[in-house]
Amino acid sequence: MTGDAAYSSGGTRQKQEGKLWDSVKTTGVILGPGLLMFAAFRNSVTWHLQKFWGASGDFWQARWEQVHHLLGGNEWAIFLLGTALVPSLVYWSFNGLLMVADVTGKPSFITRYRIQLGKNDPVDRVKLRQAVHTVLLNQAFISLPMVMLMLPIMKWRGQPCSKELPTFHWFLLELSICVLLEEILFYYSHRLVHHPLLYKRIHKKHHEWTAPVGVVSLYAHPVEHVFSNMLPLLVGPIILGSHVASIMVWLCLAILATSISHCGYHLPFLPSPEFHDFHHLKFNQCYGVLGVLDRLHGTDTLFKQTKAYERHQVLLSLTPLTESIPDGPKKAK
């Protein structure tokens, strides 16, 4: 029996090594032509980007100088406009439209893309009002003071409110670094608040919504709002000494992304919210933003076995994915 077990173990190991080698060869086949194509088209693409930015960059620089002049160069006004007012307007504009759909069930071109069928149809208005109230408190008494505290730190790092905008290439680099830092900081802080000692006291509030809606993206305990919602977004710009215009664009993109991931609708041509929606449904899967660290730590294994994983793609048609990739028949109890 021991020899059979050893033989079986050796065979399994050989199969795993074979699969690993096959994966390496497949990666080489895919990356090889890709690298050649990248080398061939790099100069052309760079030229087109520089030409595009040369024209549009002058336009945005002129608009920024107008805003700077309108606010009299007041750093506090400029900084709060970019880090608090504009991101808040983006948040409430997008989620206001979603709340209309959640409450009324209309327009149908939104509600027909509901992920968890039969949930929030319509949404509990009392529960929604409670969520809105909590979000407003978080924004007024946590988010605003944090970005106000951020300005003196940013001024120590450089000139965040200067008249000159950063270059397009530098902004893309900043954006990439901010996305990476958010993935790392959010994943680990999120897993931390799922620890039994913290979940009941802190994170359970956010998970009251097993079928989330957009406004729930900022519905959280104050401690969670600081460490999981705000800090992962602000650390990148602070480290990089970013311009307030870059911070504004980054915060708006991040706010839209988290609102989409919580919205409960898999809408056409927008990023897929299936990943985080599944987290609210199952609690112990899909902790991150991009899914990179979930893949590394194996916290997406259950997700990858579901229809939700098959639907985790950008919808490029008008047919809801719940229709084109329906859930299988429920097992009889």
Coordinates of all heavy atoms in Angstrom, one line a residue, residues 103-183:
V103 N -35.5 52.1 -6.8 CA -36.7 52.4 -6.1 C -37.9 52.2 -6.9 O -39.0 51.7 -6.5 CB -36.7 53.9 -5.5 CG1 -38.0 54.3 -5.0 CG2 -35.6 54.0 -4.4
T104 N -37.9 52.6 -8.2 CA -39.0 52.6 -9.1 C -39.1 51.4 -10.0 O -40.1 51.1 -10.5 CB -39.1 53.8 -10.0 OG1 -38.0 53.8 -10.9 CG2 -39.0 55.1 -9.1
G105 N -38.0 50.7 -10.2 CA -37.9 49.6 -11.1 C -37.8 50.1 -12.6 O -38.0 49.3 -13.5
K106 N -37.6 51.4 -12.7 CA -37.5 52.0 -14.1 C -36.3 52.9 -14.1 O -35.9 53.4 -13.1 CB -38.8 52.8 -14.4 CG -40.1 51.9 -14.4 CD -41.3 52.8 -14.6 CE -42.6 52.0 -14.6 NZ -43.8 52.8 -14.8
P107 N -35.7 53.1 -15.3 CA -36.1 52.6 -16.6 C -35.7 51.1 -16.8 O -34.7 50.7 -16.2 CB -35.3 53.5 -17.6 CG -34.1 53.9 -16.8 CD -34.6 54.0 -15.3
S108 N -36.4 50.4 -17.6 CA -36.2 49.0 -17.8 C -34.8 48.7 -18.4 O -34.3 47.6 -18.3 CB -37.3 48.3 -18.6 OG -37.3 48.9 -19.9
F109 N -34.3 49.7 -19.2 CA -33.0 49.4 -19.8 C -31.8 49.3 -18.8 O -30.7 49.0 -19.1 CB -32.7 50.5 -20.9 CG -32.4 51.9 -20.4 CD1 -31.1 52.2 -19.9 CD2 -33.3 52.9 -20.5 CE1 -30.8 53.5 -19.4 CE2 -33.1 54.2 -20.0 CZ -31.8 54.5 -19.5
I110 N -32.1 49.7 -17.5 CA -31.2 49.5 -16.5 C -31.6 48.2 -15.7 O -30.7 47.3 -15.5 CB -31.1 50.7 -15.5 CG1 -30.5 51.9 -16.2 CG2 -30.3 50.3 -14.2 CD1 -30.3 53.1 -15.4
T111 N -32.8 48.1 -15.2 CA -33.2 47.1 -14.3 C -33.2 45.7 -14.9 O -33.1 44.7 -14.2 CB -34.6 47.4 -13.8 OG1 -35.6 47.5 -14.8 CG2 -34.6 48.6 -12.9
R112 N -33.3 45.6 -16.3 CA -33.3 44.3 -16.9 C -31.9 43.6 -16.8 O -31.7 42.4 -17.1 CB -33.7 44.4 -18.4 CG -32.7 45.1 -19.3 CD -33.4 45.4 -20.6 NE -33.7 44.2 -21.3 CZ -33.0 43.7 -22.4 NH1 -32.0 44.4 -22.9 NH2 -33.4 42.6 -23.0
Y113 N -30.9 44.4 -16.4 CA -29.5 43.8 -16.2 C -29.2 43.5 -14.8 O -28.0 43.3 -14.4 CB -28.5 44.8 -16.8 CG -28.7 45.1 -18.3 CD1 -29.3 46.2 -18.7 CD2 -28.2 44.2 -19.2 CE1 -29.5 46.5 -20.1 CE2 -28.4 44.4 -20.6 CZ -29.0 45.5 -21.0 OH -29.2 45.7 -22.3
R114 N -30.2 43.3 -13.9 CA -30.0 43.0 -12.5 C -29.2 41.7 -12.4 O -29.5 40.7 -13.1 CB -31.3 42.9 -11.8 CG -31.2 42.8 -10.3 CD -32.6 42.7 -9.7 NE -33.5 43.7 -10.1 CZ -33.6 44.9 -9.6 NH1 -32.7 45.3 -8.6 NH2 -34.4 45.8 -10.0
I115 N -28.3 41.6 -11.5 CA -27.4 40.4 -11.3 C -28.1 39.4 -10.5 O -28.3 38.2 -10.9 CB -26.1 40.8 -10.7 CG1 -25.3 41.7 -11.6 CG2 -25.3 39.5 -10.4 CD1 -24.0 42.3 -11.0
Q116 N -28.6 39.7 -9.3 CA -29.3 38.8 -8.4 C -30.8 39.0 -8.6 O -31.4 39.9 -8.1 CB -28.9 39.1 -7.0 CG -27.4 38.8 -6.7 CD -27.1 38.9 -5.2 OE1 -27.9 38.4 -4.3 NE2 -26.0 39.5 -4.8
L117 N -31.3 38.1 -9.5 CA -32.7 38.3 -9.9 C -33.6 38.1 -8.7 O -33.5 37.2 -7.9 CB -33.0 37.2 -11.0 CG -32.2 37.3 -12.3 CD1 -32.5 36.2 -13.2 CD2 -32.4 38.7 -12.9
G118 N -34.6 39.0 -8.6 CA -35.6 39.0 -7.5 C -35.2 39.7 -6.3 O -35.9 39.9 -5.4
K119 N -33.9 40.2 -6.3 CA -33.4 41.0 -5.1 C -33.5 42.5 -5.4 O -33.3 42.9 -6.5 CB -32.0 40.6 -4.8 CG -31.7 39.1 -4.5 CD -32.2 38.7 -3.2 CE -31.9 37.3 -2.9 NZ -30.4 37.1 -2.7
N120 N -33.8 43.3 -4.4 CA -33.9 44.7 -4.5 C -34.9 45.1 -5.6 O -34.6 46.1 -6.4 CB -32.6 45.3 -4.8 CG -31.6 45.1 -3.6 OD1 -32.1 45.1 -2.4 ND2 -30.4 45.0 -3.9
D121 N -36.0 44.4 -5.7 CA -36.9 44.6 -6.8 C -38.4 44.8 -6.3 O -39.2 43.9 -6.4 CB -36.9 43.4 -7.8 CG -37.6 43.7 -9.1 OD1 -37.9 44.9 -9.4 OD2 -37.9 42.8 -9.8
P122 N -38.7 46.0 -5.7 CA -37.8 47.2 -5.6 C -37.0 47.1 -4.3 O -37.2 46.2 -3.4 CB -38.8 48.3 -5.5 CG -40.0 47.7 -4.8 CD -40.0 46.3 -5.3
V123 N -36.1 48.0 -4.1 CA -35.2 48.1 -2.9 C -36.0 48.5 -1.7 O -37.1 49.2 -1.8 CB -34.1 49.0 -3.2 CG1 -34.5 50.5 -3.2 CG2 -33.0 48.8 -2.1
D124 N -35.6 48.1 -0.6 CA -36.2 48.5 0.7 C -35.9 50.0 0.9 O -34.7 50.3 1.2 CB -35.7 47.6 1.8 CG -36.3 47.9 3.2 OD1 -36.7 49.1 3.4 OD2 -36.4 47.0 4.0
R125 N -36.9 50.8 0.9 CA -36.6 52.3 1.0 C -36.1 52.7 2.3 O -35.3 53.6 2.4 CB -37.9 53.0 0.6 CG -38.4 52.8 -0.8 CD -39.5 53.8 -1.1 NE -40.0 53.6 -2.5 CZ -40.7 54.5 -3.2 NH1 -41.0 55.6 -2.6 NH2 -41.1 54.2 -4.4
V126 N -36.6 52.1 3.4 CA -36.1 52.4 4.7 C -34.6 52.1 4.8 O -33.8 52.9 5.3 CB -36.9 51.7 5.8 CG1 -36.2 51.9 7.2 CG2 -38.3 52.1 5.8
K127 N -34.2 50.9 4.3 CA -32.8 50.4 4.4 C -32.0 51.3 3.5 O -30.8 51.7 3.8 CB -32.8 49.0 3.9 CG -31.5 48.3 4.1 CD -31.6 46.8 3.7 CE -30.2 46.1 3.9 NZ -30.3 44.7 3.4
L128 N -32.5 51.8 2.3 CA -31.8 52.6 1.4 C -31.5 54.0 2.1 O -30.4 54.6 1.9 CB -32.5 52.8 0.1 CG -31.9 53.7 -1.0 CD1 -30.5 53.0 -1.4 CD2 -32.8 53.8 -2.2
R129 N -32.6 54.6 2.7 CA -32.4 55.9 3.4 C -31.3 55.8 4.5 O -30.5 56.7 4.7 CB -33.7 56.3 4.0 CG -34.7 56.9 3.0 CD -35.8 57.7 3.7 NE -36.6 56.9 4.5 CZ -37.7 56.3 4.1 NH1 -38.1 56.5 2.8 NH2 -38.4 55.6 4.9
Q130 N -31.3 54.7 5.2 CA -30.3 54.5 6.2 C -28.9 54.5 5.6 O -27.9 55.1 6.1 CB -30.5 53.2 7.0 CG -29.5 52.9 8.0 CD -29.6 51.5 8.6 OE1 -30.5 50.7 8.3 NE2 -28.8 51.2 9.6
A131 N -28.8 53.8 4.4 CA -27.5 53.8 3.8 C -27.0 55.2 3.3 O -25.9 55.5 3.5 CB -27.6 52.8 2.6
V132 N -28.0 55.9 2.7 CA -27.7 57.3 2.2 C -27.2 58.1 3.4 O -26.3 58.9 3.3 CB -28.9 57.9 1.5 CG1 -28.7 59.4 1.3 CG2 -29.2 57.2 0.2
H133 N -27.9 58.0 4.5 CA -27.6 58.8 5.7 C -26.2 58.5 6.2 O -25.4 59.4 6.5 CB -28.6 58.5 6.8 CG -28.3 59.3 8.1 ND1 -27.8 58.7 9.2 CD2 -28.6 60.6 8.5 CE1 -27.7 59.6 10.2 NE2 -28.2 60.7 9.7
T134 N -25.8 57.2 6.2 CA -24.5 56.8 6.7 C -23.4 57.3 5.7 O -22.3 57.8 6.1 CB -24.4 55.3 6.8 OG1 -25.3 54.8 7.8 CG2 -23.0 54.8 7.2
V135 N -23.7 57.2 4.4 CA -22.7 57.7 3.4 C -22.5 59.2 3.6 O -21.3 59.7 3.5 CB -23.2 57.4 2.0 CG1 -22.3 58.1 0.9 CG2 -23.2 55.8 1.8
L136 N -23.5 60.0 3.7 CA -23.4 61.4 3.9 C -22.5 61.7 5.1 O -21.7 62.6 5.1 CB -24.8 62.1 4.0 CG -25.6 62.1 2.7 CD1 -27.0 62.6 3.0 CD2 -24.9 63.1 1.7
L137 N -22.8 61.0 6.2 CA -21.9 61.2 7.4 C -20.5 60.9 7.2 O -19.6 61.6 7.6 CB -22.5 60.4 8.6 CG -23.8 60.8 9.2 CD1 -24.3 59.8 10.3 CD2 -23.8 62.2 9.7
N138 N -20.3 59.8 6.5 CA -18.9 59.4 6.2 C -18.2 60.4 5.3 O -17.0 60.7 5.5 CB -18.9 58.0 5.5 CG -19.1 56.8 6.4 OD1 -18.9 57.0 7.6 ND2 -19.4 55.7 5.9
Q139 N -18.9 60.9 4.3 CA -18.3 61.9 3.5 C -18.0 63.2 4.2 O -16.9 63.8 4.0 CB -19.2 62.2 2.3 CG -19.3 61.0 1.3 CD -20.2 61.3 0.1 OE1 -21.2 61.9 0.2 NE2 -19.7 60.9 -1.1
A140 N -19.0 63.7 5.0 CA -18.8 65.0 5.7 C -17.8 65.0 6.8 O -17.0 65.9 7.0 CB -20.2 65.4 6.2
F141 N -17.8 63.9 7.6 CA -17.0 63.9 8.8 C -15.7 63.0 8.8 O -15.0 63.0 9.7 CB -17.9 63.4 10.0 CG -19.0 64.4 10.3 CD1 -20.3 64.1 10.0 CD2 -18.7 65.6 10.9 CE1 -21.3 65.0 10.2 CE2 -19.8 66.5 11.1 CZ -21.1 66.2 10.8
I142 N -15.6 62.3 7.7 CA -14.4 61.5 7.5 C -13.6 61.8 6.2 O -12.4 62.2 6.3 CB -14.7 59.9 7.6 CG1 -15.3 59.6 8.9 CG2 -13.4 59.1 7.3 CD1 -15.7 58.1 9.0
S143 N -14.3 61.7 5.1 CA -13.6 62.0 3.8 C -13.1 63.4 3.7 O -12.0 63.6 3.3 CB -14.6 61.7 2.6 OG -15.0 60.3 2.6
L144 N -14.0 64.3 4.0 CA -13.6 65.8 3.9 C -12.4 66.1 4.8 O -11.4 66.7 4.4 CB -14.8 66.7 4.2 CG -14.6 68.2 4.1 CD1 -14.1 68.5 2.7 CD2 -15.8 69.0 4.4
P145 N -12.5 65.8 6.1 CA -11.3 66.1 7.0 C -10.0 65.4 6.5 O -8.9 65.9 6.6 CB -11.7 65.5 8.3 CG -13.2 65.6 8.3 CD -13.6 65.3 6.9
M146 N -10.1 64.2 5.9 CA -9.0 63.5 5.5 C -8.3 64.2 4.3 O -7.1 64.3 4.2 CB -9.3 62.0 5.1 CG -9.5 61.1 6.3 SD -9.8 59.4 5.9 CE -8.1 58.9 5.5
V147 N -9.1 64.6 3.3 CA -8.5 65.3 2.2 C -8.0 66.7 2.6 O -7.1 67.2 2.0 CB -9.5 65.4 1.0 CG1 -9.9 64.0 0.4 CG2 -10.8 66.2 1.3
M148 N -8.7 67.3 3.6 CA -8.1 68.6 4.1 C -6.8 68.4 4.8 O -5.9 69.2 4.6 CB -9.1 69.2 5.1 CG -10.4 69.7 4.5 SD -11.6 70.3 5.6 CE -10.8 71.9 6.2
L149 N -6.6 67.3 5.5 CA -5.3 67.0 6.1 C -4.3 66.7 5.0 O -3.1 66.9 5.2 CB -5.5 65.8 7.1 CG -4.3 65.3 7.8 CD1 -3.7 66.5 8.7 CD2 -4.6 64.1 8.6
M150 N -4.8 66.2 3.9 CA -3.9 65.8 2.8 C -3.2 67.0 2.2 O -2.0 66.8 1.8 CB -4.7 65.1 1.7 CG -4.0 64.4 0.7 SD -5.2 63.6 -0.5 CE -4.0 63.0 -1.7
L151 N -3.8 68.1 2.1 CA -3.2 69.3 1.5 C -1.8 69.7 2.1 O -0.9 69.9 1.3 CB -4.2 70.5 1.4 CG -3.6 71.8 0.8 CD1 -3.1 71.5 -0.7 CD2 -4.6 72.9 0.8
P152 N -1.8 69.9 3.4 CA -0.4 70.3 4.0 C 0.6 69.2 3.7 O 1.8 69.6 3.4 CB -0.7 70.3 5.5 CG -2.2 70.6 5.6 CD -2.8 69.9 4.4
I153 N 0.3 67.9 3.6 CA 1.2 66.9 3.3 C 1.7 67.0 1.9 O 2.8 66.9 1.6 CB 0.6 65.5 3.6 CG1 0.2 65.3 5.0 CG2 1.5 64.4 3.1 CD1 -0.6 64.1 5.3
M154 N 0.7 67.3 1.0 CA 1.0 67.4 -0.4 C 1.9 68.6 -0.7 O 2.8 68.6 -1.5 CB -0.3 67.5 -1.3 CG -1.2 66.2 -1.2 SD -0.4 64.7 -1.7 CE -0.2 65.1 -3.5
K155 N 1.6 69.7 0.0 CA 2.4 70.9 -0.1 C 3.9 70.7 0.3 O 4.8 71.3 -0.2 CB 1.8 72.1 0.6 CG 0.5 72.6 0.0 CD -0.1 73.7 0.8 CE 0.7 75.0 0.8 NZ 0.1 76.1 1.6
W156 N 4.0 69.8 1.3 CA 5.4 69.5 1.8 C 6.1 68.7 0.7 O 7.3 68.8 0.6 CB 5.2 68.7 3.1 CG 6.6 68.2 3.6 CD1 7.6 68.9 4.1 CD2 7.0 66.8 3.6 NE1 8.6 68.0 4.5 CE2 8.3 66.7 4.2 CE3 6.4 65.6 3.2 CZ2 9.0 65.6 4.3 CZ3 7.1 64.4 3.4 CH2 8.4 64.4 3.9
R157 N 5.3 67.9 -0.1 CA 5.9 67.1 -1.1 C 6.2 67.9 -2.4 O 7.0 67.5 -3.2 CB 4.9 65.9 -1.5 CG 4.7 64.9 -0.4 CD 5.9 63.9 -0.3 NE 5.8 63.0 -1.4 CZ 6.6 63.0 -2.4 NH1 7.6 63.8 -2.5 NH2 6.5 62.1 -3.4
G158 N 5.4 69.0 -2.6 CA 5.6 69.7 -3.9 C 4.6 70.8 -4.0 O 4.2 71.5 -3.0
Q159 N 4.1 71.0 -5.2 CA 3.1 72.1 -5.5 C 1.9 71.4 -6.2 O 1.7 71.4 -7.4 CB 3.7 73.1 -6.4 CG 4.8 73.9 -5.8 CD 5.4 75.0 -6.7 OE1 5.4 74.9 -8.0 NE2 5.8 76.1 -6.2
P160 N 0.9 70.9 -5.4 CA -0.2 70.2 -5.9 C -1.2 71.0 -6.7 O -2.0 70.5 -7.5 CB -0.8 69.5 -4.7 CG -0.5 70.5 -3.6 CD 0.9 70.9 -3.9
C161 N -1.2 72.3 -6.4 CA -2.2 73.2 -7.1 C -1.5 74.1 -8.1 O -2.1 75.2 -8.3 CB -2.9 74.0 -6.0 SG -3.7 73.0 -4.7
S162 N -0.4 73.8 -8.6 CA 0.3 74.7 -9.6 C -0.5 74.8 -10.9 O -1.4 74.0 -11.2 CB 1.6 74.1 -9.9 OG 1.5 72.9 -10.6
K163 N -0.2 75.9 -11.6 CA -0.9 76.2 -12.9 C -0.6 75.2 -14.0 O -1.4 75.0 -14.9 CB -0.5 77.6 -13.4 CG -1.3 78.7 -12.7 CD -1.0 80.0 -13.4 CE -1.8 81.2 -12.7 NZ -1.6 82.5 -13.4
E164 N 0.6 74.6 -13.9 CA 1.0 73.7 -14.9 C 0.6 72.2 -14.6 O 0.9 71.7 -13.6 CB 2.5 73.7 -15.0 CG 3.1 72.9 -16.2 CD 4.6 73.0 -16.4 OE1 5.2 73.8 -15.6 OE2 5.1 72.3 -17.2
L165 N -0.2 71.7 -15.6 CA -0.6 70.3 -15.5 C 0.5 69.3 -15.7 O 1.5 69.6 -16.5 CB -1.7 70.0 -16.5 CG -3.1 70.7 -16.2 CD1 -4.0 70.4 -17.4 CD2 -3.7 70.3 -14.9
P166 N 0.4 68.1 -15.2 CA 1.5 67.1 -15.4 C 1.4 66.6 -16.9 O 0.3 66.7 -17.5 CB 1.1 66.0 -14.5 CG -0.3 66.1 -14.2 CD -0.6 67.6 -14.2
T167 N 2.5 66.0 -17.4 CA 2.4 65.5 -18.7 C 1.5 64.2 -18.8 O 1.3 63.6 -17.7 CB 3.8 65.1 -19.2 OG1 4.3 64.0 -18.4 CG2 4.8 66.2 -19.1
F168 N 1.1 63.9 -20.0 CA 0.2 62.8 -20.2 C 0.9 61.5 -19.7 O 0.3 60.6 -19.1 CB -0.2 62.7 -21.6 CG -1.2 61.5 -21.9 CD1 -2.4 61.5 -21.4 CD2 -0.8 60.5 -22.8 CE1 -3.3 60.4 -21.6 CE2 -1.6 59.5 -23.1 CZ -2.9 59.4 -22.5
H169 N 2.2 61.3 -20.1 CA 2.9 60.1 -19.8 C 3.1 59.9 -18.3 O 2.9 58.8 -17.7 CB 4.3 60.1 -20.4 CG 4.3 60.2 -21.9 ND1 4.1 61.5 -22.5 CD2 4.3 59.3 -22.9 CE1 4.1 61.3 -23.9 NE2 4.2 60.0 -24.1
W170 N 3.3 61.0 -17.6 CA 3.5 61.0 -16.1 C 2.2 60.6 -15.5 O 2.1 59.9 -14.5 CB 4.0 62.3 -15.6 CG 4.1 62.3 -14.1 CD1 3.4 63.1 -13.2 CD2 5.0 61.5 -13.2 NE1 3.7 62.8 -11.9 CE2 4.7 61.9 -11.9 CE3 5.9 60.6 -13.5 CZ2 5.3 61.3 -10.8 CZ3 6.6 60.0 -12.4 CH2 6.3 60.4 -11.1
F171 N 1.1 61.2 -16.0 CA -0.2 60.9 -15.4 C -0.6 59.4 -15.6 O -1.1 58.8 -14.7 CB -1.3 61.8 -16.1 CG -2.7 61.3 -15.8 CD1 -3.3 61.5 -14.5 CD2 -3.5 60.7 -16.7 CE1 -4.5 61.1 -14.2 CE2 -4.8 60.3 -16.4 CZ -5.3 60.5 -15.2
L172 N -0.3 58.8 -16.7 CA -0.5 57.4 -16.9 C 0.3 56.6 -16.0 O -0.2 55.6 -15.4 CB -0.2 57.0 -18.4 CG -1.1 57.5 -19.5 CD1 -0.7 57.0 -20.8 CD2 -2.6 57.1 -19.2
L173 N 1.5 57.0 -15.7 CA 2.3 56.2 -14.7 C 1.7 56.4 -13.3 O 1.6 55.4 -12.6 CB 3.8 56.8 -14.7 CG 4.7 56.2 -13.7 CD1 4.9 54.7 -14.0 CD2 6.1 56.9 -13.8
E174 N 1.3 57.6 -13.0 CA 0.7 57.8 -11.7 C -0.5 56.9 -11.5 O -0.8 56.3 -10.5 CB 0.3 59.2 -11.5 CG 1.4 60.2 -11.2 CD 0.9 61.6 -11.0 OE1 0.2 62.1 -11.9 OE2 1.2 62.2 -9.9
L175 N -1.4 56.9 -12.6 CA -2.6 56.1 -12.5 C -2.3 54.6 -12.3 O -3.0 54.0 -11.5 CB -3.4 56.3 -13.8 CG -4.8 55.8 -13.9 CD1 -5.7 56.5 -12.8 CD2 -5.4 56.1 -15.3
S176 N -1.3 54.1 -13.0 CA -1.0 52.7 -12.9 C -0.5 52.4 -11.5 O -0.9 51.4 -10.9 CB 0.2 52.4 -13.9 OG -0.2 52.6 -15.2
I177 N 0.3 53.3 -10.9 CA 0.8 53.0 -9.5 C -0.3 53.1 -8.5 O -0.4 52.3 -7.6 CB 1.9 54.0 -9.2 CG1 3.2 53.8 -10.1 CG2 2.3 53.9 -7.7 CD1 4.2 54.8 -10.0
C178 N -1.2 54.1 -8.7 CA -2.4 54.2 -7.8 C -3.3 53.0 -7.8 O -3.7 52.5 -6.8 CB -3.2 55.5 -8.1 SG -2.4 57.0 -7.7
V179 N -3.5 52.5 -9.0 CA -4.3 51.3 -9.2 C -3.7 50.1 -8.5 O -4.3 49.3 -7.7 CB -4.5 50.9 -10.7 CG1 -5.1 49.5 -10.8 CG2 -5.5 52.0 -11.3
L180 N -2.4 49.9 -8.6 CA -1.6 48.8 -8.0 C -1.7 49.0 -6.5 O -1.9 48.0 -5.8 CB -0.2 48.8 -8.5 CG 0.7 47.7 -7.9 CD1 0.2 46.4 -8.2 CD2 2.2 47.9 -8.4
L181 N -1.4 50.2 -6.0 CA -1.4 50.4 -4.5 C -2.8 50.1 -3.9 O -3.0 49.6 -2.8 CB -0.9 51.8 -4.2 CG 0.6 52.0 -4.3 CD1 0.9 53.5 -4.2 CD2 1.3 51.2 -3.3
E182 N -3.8 50.6 -4.7 CA -5.2 50.3 -4.2 C -5.5 48.9 -4.1 O -6.1 48.4 -3.1 CB -6.2 51.0 -5.1 CG -7.7 50.9 -4.6 CD -8.7 51.1 -5.6 OE1 -8.4 51.0 -6.8 OE2 -9.9 51.3 -5.2
E183 N -5.1 48.1 -5.1 CA -5.3 46.6 -5.1 C -4.7 46.0 -3.8 O -5.3 45.2 -3.1 CB -4.8 46.0 -6.3 CG -4.8 44.5 -6.3 CD -6.1 43.8 -6.5 OE1 -7.1 44.6 -6.6 OE2 -6.2 42.6 -6.3

